[in-house]
Amino acid sequence: MAKEYTPDLITLIGDDGKEIEFEILDIIENDEGKFYVLYPFFENPEDAVNDSGEYYIFEVTEIDGEEELAEIEDDEKLDRIAAVFEKRYNEEFYDEDD
């Protein structure tokens, strides 16, 4: 029997107060901090096919003892974390022969 895939989901509140559901693609922890790599979650698979495929990276900050996700303001840091994610993703899903 095939193993069923169940995504890890997180719900964020947008600036407009609307809830947006994301799939957690990766959690990266390194000397720069802790980061969540997220991709919008779609109930309807057709919506995912038509999506741009853009993922988002948020930095974990601690406010009053609680973890919150914040946008990364430093473009160089964002590029470094994106490179870490893409390397890990490619190692996980693609053979060297591809």
Side-chain angles (χ1 to χ4, degrees):
M1 185 171 178
K3 187 175 178 182
E4 187 174 319
Y5 173 73
T6 305
D8 290 328
L9 301 176
I10 187 171
T11 302
L12 302 181
I13 308 297
D15 293 335
D16 59 359
K18 183 179 173 187
E19 290 186 352
I20 307 165
E21 200 163 30
F22 291 91
E23 178 179 356
I24 301 171
L25 298 179
D26 200 356
I27 299 173
I28 298 169
E29 292 186 69
N30 61 22
D31 59 340
E32 294 196 74
K34 183 176 179 180
F35 306 89
Y36 277 66
V37 183
L38 306 176
Y39 183 76
F41 178 73
F42 300 97
E43 289 286 337
N44 181 348
E46 283 185 27
D47 292 338
V49 170
N50 296 323
D51 185 64
S52 67
E54 187 173 324
Y55 62 86
Y56 302 90
I57 301 175
F58 292 94
E59 185 169 15
V60 176
T61 60
E62 192 169 312
I63 299 177
D64 296 329
E66 297 215 14
E67 286 188 347
E68 292 191 13
L69 298 181
E71 291 184 37
I72 300 173
E73 301 293 333
D74 180 343
D75 288 340
E76 291 178 5
K77 179 191 267 187
L78 182 59
D79 290 343
R80 287 190 301 272
I81 301 305
V84 169
F85 167 68
E86 289 175 8
K87 181 177 187 285
R88 288 165 58 154
Y89 180 85
N90 288 330
E91 287 173 352
E92 179 74 23
F93 293 104
Y94 296 102
D95 295 330
E96 291 179 12
D97 298 334
D98 286 347

